[in-house]
Amino acid sequence: QVQLVESGGGLVQAGGSLRLSCAASGRTFSSYAMGWFRQAPGKERDFVATINWRGANTYYADSVKGRFTISRDNAKNTVYLLMTSLKPEDTAVYYCAASRGRFATREYHDYDSWGQGTQVTVSS
């Protein structure tokens, strides 16, 4: 029902910042909770951040809390992930996801639609 396309990934030095964007198509975007996940080579796909349908509630993985900020602009059908103070451990493919449940969720299986992913590489 919702198509998601991530952009904004790239190469950045440790301590730098990067903003990822996720453009969504579909008339019901504003009713979806949104999330970001990431997957490094040889590792599981891990939760990063989530935001509810109105943007009032957000939750973060402990590893990124205080450094990453998730936000959304429903008028633009876009969700963002602002990453600051980046570390080499943040290197991964980052995926945008949408949940029809409306409530912010950390659970992988609560998400109905996924983007193709965008590579983020942090050099030391």
Side-chain angles (χ1 to χ4, degrees):
Q1 292 283 83
V2 177
Q3 302 294 317
L4 305 173
V5 179
E6 302 97 333
S7 63
L11 176 65
V12 64
Q13 293 187 353
S17 300
L18 205 61
R19 188 177 77 160
L20 306 183
S21 298
C22 176
S25 61
R27 51 190 284 161
T28 60
F29 171 78
S30 62
S31 296
Y32 281 64
M34 301 294 296
W36 287 95
F37 289 74
R38 66 186 183 185
Q39 186 169 24
K43 296 185 178 181
E44 301 290 331
R45 186 171 297 186
D46 293 328
F47 166 77
V48 175
T50 183
I51 187 168
N52 79 323
W53 69 297
R54 292 293 294 160
N57 301 112
T58 59
Y59 301 96
Y60 298 90
D62 289 341
S63 59
V64 307
K65 191 175 299 181
R67 299 188 298 120
F68 291 11
T69 303
I70 187 172
S71 62
R72 68 190 298 163
D73 187 339
N74 289 344
K76 297 181 179 180
N77 287 352
T78 303
V79 63
Y80 305 95
L81 184 68
L82 175 62
M83 305 180 292
T84 64
S85 301
L86 282 162
K87 306 174 181 179
E89 307 92 271
D90 296 318
T91 296
V93 176
Y94 283 71
Y95 297 90
C96 176
S99 171
R100 285 180 283 187
R102 299 194 178 192
F103 300 102
T105 175
R106 297 175 172 87
E107 299 298 324
Y108 178 92
H109 293 289
D110 287 338
Y111 290 89
D112 306 291
S113 302
W114 294 83
Q116 83 288 351
T118 185
Q119 177 71 47
V120 172
T121 302
V122 184
S123 64
S124 59

